[in-house]
Amino acid sequence: MSQGKTSSKDDKLKWWQLSLLGVACTIGTGYFLGTGIALTMGGPAVIFLFILAAFGTYMVFDALARMTAADPQQGSFRSYAKKAYGRWAGFTSGWVYWSSELLIMGSQLAALSLFTRMWFPNLPMWMFAGAYGLLGLGIILLGTKGFERLENMFAVMKIAAILMFLVLAGAALFGMLGQGAYAPKVPATGPEVWPGGGMGLWSAFIFAFYAFGGIEIMGLMAMRLKNPKEAPKAGKMMILLLTAVYIASLVCAVILVPVGAFDSKESPFASALNHYNLPFVPHVFNSVLIIAGFSTMVASLFAVTTMLVTLAGDHDAPKMFSAKKGSAKLPFTAIGFTAAGLAVSVVTALLMPESVYEYVTTAAGLMLLYNWTFILITSGKLLKLSGWGQTKRWGGILLIALAVVGTLFHETSRPGFFISLGFVAVISVVTLIMRSVWKKQGGSEGGPGKKAQGHESGPPSGHDEYEPNVNRPVLPHRRKSYT
């Protein structure tokens, strides 16, 4: 099940193929359910926040894509952090990313449980979380081929769900679906546009950013481009497509449903359709939402496990996590550790059945933004940026900072902020301890790298793309196996 030799030229991607893959990988419960939380906190005015988040996301990806174009690395942002600031930076970046994926995994489990309760309202969330977690682990054990087939199918279903909603919403707006519980209306007054006031709107900013979570995967996938220098163009198209889809669907939702009727525990798009005489469509749509959420949850499982294997292979995690056993060459120790993380998510769902999604989603979004901030900081070290480049870089940092600070002003998002700080504090302490260990061992922490000069450096010919190497730190591709 090893990947063996690197992909041939025929297997490489064109820039537009990378854009479409990025759209499919990014759309998940951050969009399908997180938007419901944003609407209940900030009202229809959050549509403006999604536009700002799109600009911030573009600035992050533009920096990452330019580093990729100048110096393609399998490890993407983790490799660039290590090159710019030394081993401690690669260690910290890797573990922050691992932690964010772990939180995303818990967030997806909570979202899946909330969706499923539409059919079984009397059953507790932890039962659904446990079932989906076990099923996800089973898919990991199937290996690369089974995962690839399922993920491709899931990606198609995500796009189909959005198109289905837009078609049905358009039909509802033109009166083709009959009379619903609410008459379509464009929000016009202040209380209708931002019912939570300025603070509620500001606090919802994090969920707008979270809907774009996953663009860092584009950096990992950029190594598969026929021409890595086209990575910036691929990112621009991806973000334009995502923004158009998000804005169009949100506009339809807020016209069809009064803001007070949205429920943070239900997809706003399902809420918009549930008030029409469509007995089967809400159930079909909910099924697709579950499939979409399950897809991103399984991808997070792969990311968490492969990151652990990679960190272990780079001596930044216990060596036992990189050991592979059995005929399938699976890292059972790493998978077991991932299963323990899943178990914690299930227990959390049991203890906090009503609030877990908002808390975990906020923390997961914040951990991603911390990683994005480090990407922007790293780009200033490795790239020769023009005045406009520096403006974009600092503009992205400012938008991210606004989203982070905004979580402090709402009771829904505030606990997630402190959860994320707890993760960062633990990782920081461990990093300080490890720096002392590295010095005592006489090993080098590495040093700041030179400015990227535009050369390309891919993995050695014949080298397994996912086999960890001390001199070539790598990050896992979500759609590839760690075997």
Side-chain angles (χ1 to χ4, degrees):
M1 295 180 65
S2 176
Q3 294 296 323
K5 293 185 178 182
T6 54
S7 301
S8 66
K9 191 173 182 179
D10 293 337
D11 294 330
K12 296 288 186 179
L13 298 173
K14 297 179 180 178
W15 70 266
W16 61 267
Q17 291 174 312
L18 181 61
S19 296
L20 292 178
L21 283 171
V23 170
C25 290
T26 302
I27 296 174
T29 55
Y31 162 73
F32 286 122
L33 188 58
T35 48
I37 303 174
L39 285 169
T40 56
M41 292 172 62
V46 299
I47 293 174
F48 173 69
L49 296 182
F50 274 81
I51 296 174
L52 285 180
F55 277 113
T57 303
Y58 165 71
M59 293 169 191
V60 174
F61 181 79
D62 185 62
L64 181 58
R66 291 183 185 280
M67 288 190 287
T68 301
D71 182 19
Q73 292 284 339
Q74 287 296 120
S76 189
F77 52 88
R78 179 174 180 262
S79 294
Y80 301 135
K82 187 172 185 177
K83 180 179 179 181
Y85 296 103
R87 184 175 179 180
W88 72 267
F91 179 90
T92 303
S93 177
W95 279 107
V96 167
Y97 181 74
W98 182 90
S99 301
S100 70
E101 288 297 320
L102 184 67
L103 289 172
I104 288 171
M105 186 171 61
S107 172
Q108 306 295 348
L109 282 172
L112 288 169
S113 302
L114 288 169
F115 289 148
T116 309
R117 284 209 307 185
M118 171 183 171
W119 298 318
F120 307 100
N122 296 322
L123 293 179
M125 284 177 56
W126 67 268
M127 291 184 63
F128 303 124
Y132 286 122
L134 289 173
L135 187 58
L137 285 172
I139 290 177
I140 286 183
L141 294 174
L142 287 177
T144 304
K145 290 184 178 179
F147 174 76
E148 286 281 353
R149 293 192 187 101
L150 287 171
E151 193 66 21
N152 289 335
M153 180 180 66
F154 291 157
V156 172
M157 289 183 176
K158 291 181 187 182
I159 303 299
I162 298 171
L163 293 177
M164 181 180 72
F165 171 76
L166 291 175
V167 170
L168 290 173
L173 290 174
F174 287 101
M176 299 171 62
L177 299 183
Q179 184 65 40
Y182 309 107
K185 180 184 177 182
V186 177
T189 66
E192 290 176 335
V193 175
W194 47 77
M199 286 299 182
L201 187 63
W202 188 6
S203 299
F205 200 4
I206 184 65
F207 298 102
F209 264 112
Y210 187 57
F212 290 92
I215 58 97
E216 67 282 351
I217 302 305
M218 287 281 285
L220 305 177
M221 296 170 68
M223 282 298 296
R224 295 180 59 195
L225 279 171
K226 288 185 177 180
N227 181 7
K229 295 187 182 299
E230 291 185 325
K233 180 165 61 173
K236 289 178 184 177
M237 180 58 66
M238 178 199 71
I239 294 170
L240 282 174
L241 287 172
L242 283 175
T243 305
V245 165
Y246 289 170
I247 299 304
S249 54
L250 282 170
V251 167
C252 290
V254 299
I255 292 176
L256 291 174
V257 180
V259 66
F262 286 115
D263 185 349
S264 63
K265 298 174 179 61
E266 182 181 40
S267 170
F269 314 113
S271 298
L273 298 178
N274 286 343
H275 301 290
Y276 290 88
N277 187 24
L278 303 169
F280 298 107
V281 169
H283 296 284
V284 172
F285 192 76
N286 198 55
S287 299
V288 177
L289 293 181
I290 290 173
I291 291 171
F294 183 72
S295 156
T296 49
M297 189 274 289
V298 172
S300 293
L301 280 172
F302 264 76
V304 166
T305 306
T306 49
M307 173 58 73
L308 197 57
V309 173
T310 301
L311 286 167
D314 207 23
H315 302 293
D316 287 336
K319 187 176 180 181
M320 63 180 180
F321 291 131
S322 64
K324 299 176 183 179
K325 300 179 181 180
S327 58
K329 299 293 184 182
L330 292 173
F332 288 106
T333 306
I335 293 175
F337 195 76
T338 300
L342 271 174
V344 171
S345 298
V346 174
V347 171
T348 303
L350 171 62
L351 296 177
M352 296 187 298
E354 297 300 327
S355 57
V356 61
Y357 184 73
E358 290 93 336
Y359 296 169
V360 175
T361 298
T362 304
L366 287 168
M367 294 294 287
L368 279 177
L369 292 190
Y370 300 154
N371 201 40
W372 288 12
T373 302
F374 209 68
I375 289 173
L376 290 171
I377 293 172
T378 300
S379 69
K381 186 75 173 180
L382 295 183
L383 297 175
K384 296 178 180 178
L385 297 175
S386 64
W388 174 237
Q390 290 286 3
T391 300
K392 289 193 297 181
R393 177 169 164 271
W394 284 107
I397 292 174
L398 176 61
L399 286 174
I400 290 173
L402 286 173
V404 172
V405 174
T407 61
L408 289 171
F409 301 108
H410 198 282
E411 60 183 6
T412 297
S413 56
R414 193 179 302 117
F417 173 80
F418 291 110
I419 291 173
S420 72
L421 281 189
F423 273 89
V424 171
V426 170
I427 294 171
S428 299
V429 170
V430 173
T431 301
L432 289 174
I433 294 172
M434 291 306 300
R435 291 188 74 176
S436 299
V437 172
W438 295 330
K439 289 180 180 179
K440 288 180 180 179
Q441 291 176 344
S444 173
E445 286 189 61
K450 296 180 180 179
K451 298 281 184 182
Q453 300 297 324
H455 66 281
E456 297 183 9
S457 58
S461 177
H463 196 287
D464 187 342
E465 188 176 357
Y466 300 99
E467 200 69 35
N469 186 296
V470 174
N471 298 317
R472 185 182 55 85
V474 298
L475 282 179
H477 182 300
R478 277 197 184 211
R479 316 191 89 204
K480 292 287 186 180
S481 172
Y482 42 77
T483 59

